[in-house]
Amino acid sequence: MVKEIKLVQNVLKANERVSEQNRNIFAENQLLAINIIGSPGAGKTTLLERIIQNIVERKAIAVIEGDIYTTRDAQRIEACGVDVVQINTGGGCHLDAPMVQEALTNLDLDELDLLIIENVGNLVCPAAYNLGEDFKMVVMSITEGDDKPEKYPRIFQEAKVLVVTKVDLLKYNQFDMDRFLAEVRGINPGIKVFQISNLTGDGIKELVGWLEEQRNYKREEQICSV
Amino acid sequence: MHELSLMQSIFEIVEDELKNHELVYVNQIKLKVGELAAVQKEAMQFAFSVLQMGTVLEGARLEIEYVPAEAYCAKCEHRYRMIKYRVFCPLCGNVGQIVSGKELYVESLEVNDGERDQTCTKCTQSK
């Protein structure tokens, strides 16, 4: 006999469960966790190098590097003098919460207060998988074109902060910043935006200042709740 | 792009459910997918057709119901379709709350509880 079974089960429930566990681990350790998402070549790793170079208290930072096959990015970040854990997804297009949880076992969480997770280069899939992070940072370069927000709305909707990179190339490009930002804010009116150049260093100080603020908020939040 | 891994999660959910009910055949799986979930219908169907081979889901159908993105403006008490993912209320221009479009869940299963049924091709074949 044919019958119907009602289920209503979230497809991502397994990931959501582990991401909640990760969130608790971050909270217990007063650790601000950021999930960086952007296309291959957007400048995520270079941005990360710039951020780390501009932070004075570098000892308390660790990075989780997501990459499909190589350890190239991890080697670059390690050279900046912070702890790095490499996750190779072996073909997978995104990091998920269990991968991050396993990576955490390689870090001395007590000693850290900022964890930056660089996701696999991809503007689509990583947006769907929460890792337990405090917020998502979307990194997009102007050479990708000003029409992208509407083509990849999910990530622009989910992110708390947008970093627009390669602005030193604006003079060689047809990228219309006003049009782009209007489209971004139509999808996510509250998103924080930084325009930077990894090459010239423009905008990096402002971004790092904002990140330090977020780091302090997280510390204070924990002190209040204890 | 991640539809294959989503489909693997769906298979786990369905296989668990079948075990719980001690069932063997599934005729149809009903999925609800929101417009904002960044999931492509065709890629889901393709992932389903690839993964179902040799499993208890072989021969089953996948039905996908698309849920449009909608937001609600508390000031105007107006629920509206989000055109091009815009959250602004078309009446007053304020930012509304997204109320639908993020769905991604297995809604229901249509199963065959195994009693011999003359119209069931699987049963007649195995006789």
Side-chain angles (χ1 to χ4, degrees):
Chain A
M1 239 177 69
V2 172
K3 58 183 182 185
E4 197 186 18
I5 302 176
K6 272 269 170 200
L7 268 180
V8 195
Q9 284 204 30
N10 182 354
V11 172
L12 290 166
K13 66 171 183 173
N15 187 70
E16 289 298 323
R17 201 176 48 233
V18 180
S19 90
E20 261 327 293
Q21 292 169 359
N22 291 351
R23 192 180 303 282
N24 290 336
I25 294 171
F26 298 144
E28 281 162 17
N29 290 282
Q30 309 182 332
L31 181 58
L32 179 76
I34 305 172
N35 182 1
I36 298 189
I37 298 173
S39 306
K44 294 184 295 300
T45 311
T46 311
L47 176 66
L48 210 48
E49 289 173 325
R50 296 289 170 273
I51 290 173
I52 294 165
Q53 287 158 2
N54 278 277
I55 290 180
V56 188
E57 288 176 68
R58 226 174 282 177
K59 268 197 311 206
I61 308 173
V63 173
I64 293 177
E65 272 296 336
D67 196 292
I68 297 180
Y69 295 117
T70 76
T71 57
R72 285 180 189 171
D73 291 352
Q75 286 164 359
R76 285 171 57 186
I77 298 302
E78 204 163 26
C80 298
V82 299
D83 279 345
V84 186
V85 182
Q86 175 76 52
I87 301 175
N88 282 126
T89 60
C93 53
H94 59 271
L95 294 181
D96 63 28
M99 292 178 195
V100 169
Q101 191 164 91
E102 199 183 324
L104 292 179
T105 60
N106 295 300
L107 291 169
D108 194 355
L109 299 177
D110 273 355
E111 305 296 316
L112 301 175
D113 61 17
L114 177 61
L115 175 69
I116 305 177
I117 304 166
E118 183 182 340
N119 221 307
V120 177
N122 181 342
L123 213 48
V124 186
C125 317
Y129 290 82
N130 287 322
L131 307 176
E133 72 274 359
D134 288 273
F135 58 84
K136 294 182 178 70
M137 175 193 281
V138 53
V139 178
M140 209 201 92
S141 60
I142 63 142
T143 50
E144 291 167 59
D146 54 23
D147 61 341
K148 292 302 173 288
E150 235 166 64
K151 297 175 85 170
Y152 302 90
R154 175 98 189 243
I155 183 56
F156 289 95
Q157 206 166 48
E158 299 265 336
K160 179 175 180 173
V161 54
L162 160 66
V163 181
V164 188
T165 60
K166 307 187 191 178
V167 293
D168 52 291
L169 296 178
L170 274 170
K171 51 181 181 275
Y172 306 110
N173 208 283
Q174 293 176 328
F175 189 92
D176 182 339
M177 189 64 83
D178 292 337
R179 182 209 134 132
F180 172 73
L181 292 179
E183 203 164 297
V184 169
R185 293 201 166 107
I187 293 168
N188 183 349
I191 197 166
K192 183 89 188 158
V193 180
F194 292 93
Q195 299 182 29
I196 65 118
S197 164
N198 284 321
L199 201 67
T200 64
D202 282 348
I204 299 281
K205 286 229 152 49
E206 290 79 2
L207 171 62
V208 169
W210 183 81
L211 286 173
E212 292 280 26
E213 256 174 49
Q214 306 303 309
R215 197 174 170 184
N216 289 335
Y217 288 149
K218 178 93 180 191
R219 281 182 194 145
E220 284 161 21
E221 189 184 290
Q222 288 312 309
I223 291 162
C224 292
S225 66
V226 166
Chain B
M1 209 161 145
H2 57 310
E3 280 80 357
L4 200 61
S5 62
L6 290 177
M7 195 48 75
Q8 274 164 344
S9 307
I10 292 168
F11 270 56
E12 282 163 24
I13 290 171
V14 173
E15 281 166 359
D16 277 358
E17 197 61 23
L18 290 180
K19 248 183 240 160
N20 291 344
H21 290 264
E22 295 180 0
L23 292 166
V24 191
Y25 296 127
V26 186
N27 296 340
Q28 181 175 276
I29 300 167
K30 235 190 205 172
L31 264 191
K32 276 219 173 162
V33 176
E35 194 182 345
L36 306 174
V39 170
Q40 217 201 342
K41 235 173 165 175
E42 295 73 20
M44 280 304 241
Q45 290 289 0
F46 177 69
F48 182 71
S49 67
V50 171
L51 289 176
Q52 73 180 162
M53 284 185 276
T55 74
V56 289
L57 281 91
E58 193 162 346
R61 292 183 309 276
L62 176 68
E63 195 191 297
I64 300 176
E65 190 188 324
Y66 237 60
V67 186
E70 290 184 342
Y72 178 77
C73 172
K75 193 182 151 211
C76 305
E77 298 188 346
H78 177 56
R79 188 180 168 126
Y80 52 93
R81 178 81 199 267
M82 292 168 60
I83 307 294
K84 292 187 173 175
Y85 316 104
R86 299 297 194 270
V87 288
F88 301 107
C89 172
L91 302 180
C92 70
N94 279 359
V95 176
Q97 280 288 324
I98 298 174
V99 287
S100 81
K102 290 190 169 179
E103 296 79 358
L104 183 55
Y105 58 83
V106 184
E107 163 89 351
S108 64
L109 304 177
E110 190 188 287
V111 297
N112 193 320
D113 64 9
E115 283 177 33
R116 293 276 158 127
D117 177 350
Q118 289 305 318
T119 60
C120 171
T121 52
K122 278 181 191 157
C123 300
T124 49
Q125 274 165 14
S126 61
K127 264 178 192 172

